[in-house]
């Protein structure tokens, strides 16, 4: 048999090989989503959000909470979404209110640490660890509060505040209703449970000059020697 020249054989082999497509296997990672649009960071999603939007956080991780200039819902689409809010002063600005769902707040233990807000803040299925100060209208639905120190869970400085179907774990101190001046607030409690490591402690400590109206519907106080964060 006559051997084919080496150069011609190489050319034939090149012609017979199928064209290879180079695929990019590095898929972009998205942290948040509004509707069908995904964003690489929570800050990008907040910057693009319009009033009434739902910002779904897609990745379980610890986040810094940016200012929320419009009223939006910030929702943990997965468990394990944490806002590390430890520090002092305002957590962030929420001038038009906001709703949080299925997220955890690590508050730390600093005094006067809370949201700077004029609008109502709603929390649904959220967890708050540490000391929290409220300065306006807030609604808590199905939330859990944990305090590992001997301080209060929460200082209520202003606003109409409701607690519904919440669980509160503390070392004898729960809520301190306080203000420098007379107020006209309403605090509503429905279907909540309070667990304390110390007996014979009040759920609400109310300064006599506050002038609050408190509407309480069934709040069992249970002693708990230990509880887990």
């Amino acid at each position: 048999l006559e051997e084919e020249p080496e150069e011609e054989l190489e050319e034939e082999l090149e012609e017979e090989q199928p064209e290879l497509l180079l695929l990019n296997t590095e898929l972009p990672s998205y942290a948040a989503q509004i509707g069908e649009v995904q964003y690489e960071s929570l800050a990008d999603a907040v910057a693009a959000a319009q009033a009434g939007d739902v910002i779904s956080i897609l990745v379980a991780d610890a986040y810094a909470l940016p200012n929320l200039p419009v009223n939006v819902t910030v929702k943990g689409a997965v468990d394990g979404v944490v806002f590390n809010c430890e520090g002092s002063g305002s957590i962030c600005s929420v001038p038009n209110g906001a709703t949080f769902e299925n997220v955890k707040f690590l508050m730390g233990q600093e005094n006067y640490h809370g949201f700077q807000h004029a609008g109502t803040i709603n929390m649904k299925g959220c967890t708050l660890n540490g000391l929290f100060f409220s300065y306006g209208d807030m609604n808590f639905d199905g939330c859990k509060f944990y305090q590992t120190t001997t301080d209060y869970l929460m200082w209520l400085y202003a606003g109409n505040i409701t607690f519904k179907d919440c669980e509160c774990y503390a070392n004898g101190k729960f809520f301190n209703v306080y203000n420098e001046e007379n107020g006209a607030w309403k605090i509503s409690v429905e279907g909540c449970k309070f667990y304390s490591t110390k007996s014979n402690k009040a759920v609400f400590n109310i300064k006599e000059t506050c002038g609050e109206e408190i509407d309480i519907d069934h709040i069992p106080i249970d002693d708990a020697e230990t509880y887990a964060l």
Side-chain angles (χ1 to χ4, degrees):
L1 294 175
E2 184 179 352
E3 292 186 2
E4 194 169 0
E6 186 175 343
E7 293 183 359
E8 293 182 4
L9 180 60
E10 290 179 355
E11 290 178 359
E12 290 179 4
L13 290 175
E14 290 178 359
E15 290 177 358
E16 292 175 359
Q17 288 180 357
E19 182 180 0
L20 299 178
L21 299 178
L22 297 179
L23 300 178
N24 182 6
T25 57
E26 294 184 3
L27 299 176
S29 59
Y30 297 105
Q33 180 172 329
I34 301 176
E36 300 299 323
V37 182
Q38 295 180 318
Y39 300 87
E40 293 186 5
S41 71
L42 175 60
D44 289 342
V46 170
Q50 303 294 316
D53 281 347
V54 177
I55 301 174
S56 296
I57 301 178
L58 307 176
V59 179
D61 203 349
Y63 296 85
L65 185 60
N67 293 332
L68 302 175
V70 296
N71 191 320
V72 295
T73 295
V74 178
K75 179 179 180 180
V78 295
D79 293 334
V81 174
V82 178
F83 290 123
N84 189 346
C85 302
E86 294 182 357
S88 59
S90 175
I91 297 172
C92 69
S93 176
V94 190
N96 295 292
T99 297
F100 297 95
E101 297 183 15
N102 190 37
V103 298
K104 177 186 285 187
F105 295 88
L106 302 181
M107 302 303 304
Q109 302 295 337
E110 295 292 331
N111 287 326
Y112 311 109
H113 187 46
F115 289 99
Q116 179 185 353
H117 65 102
T120 300
I121 291 180
N122 304 299
M123 293 194 181
K124 300 178 181 179
C126 295
T127 300
L128 293 91
N129 286 0
L131 177 60
F132 179 65
F133 281 69
S134 170
Y135 295 101
D137 294 352
M138 300 193 73
N139 300 306
F140 299 93
D141 188 351
C143 295
K144 293 183 178 181
F145 298 80
Y146 294 94
Q147 176 60 288
T148 58
T149 75
T150 57
D151 207 332
Y152 290 98
L153 287 169
M154 186 174 175
W155 286 56
L156 286 65
Y157 258 85
N160 298 323
I161 302 178
T162 64
F163 301 91
K164 182 179 180 182
D165 298 330
C166 295
E167 294 181 12
C168 304
Y169 299 81
N171 292 304
K173 292 182 178 180
F174 291 97
F175 300 107
N176 190 32
V177 183
Y178 187 88
N179 202 339
E180 305 298 337
E181 301 177 357
N182 291 339
W185 310 336
K186 181 175 181 180
I187 301 171
S188 298
V189 181
E190 179 183 353
C192 296
K193 294 184 177 180
F194 296 81
Y195 300 91
S196 174
T197 60
K198 298 180 180 179
S199 302
N200 301 318
K201 298 294 182 179
V203 171
F204 291 96
N205 179 55
I206 305 172
K207 185 179 179 182
E208 66 275 10
T209 59
C210 286
E212 282 76 19
E213 175 186 350
I214 297 184
D215 179 12
I216 296 176
D217 177 18
H218 184 59
I219 53 170
I221 310 299
D222 295 333
D223 290 337
E225 293 183 0
T226 59
Y227 51 83
L229 291 177

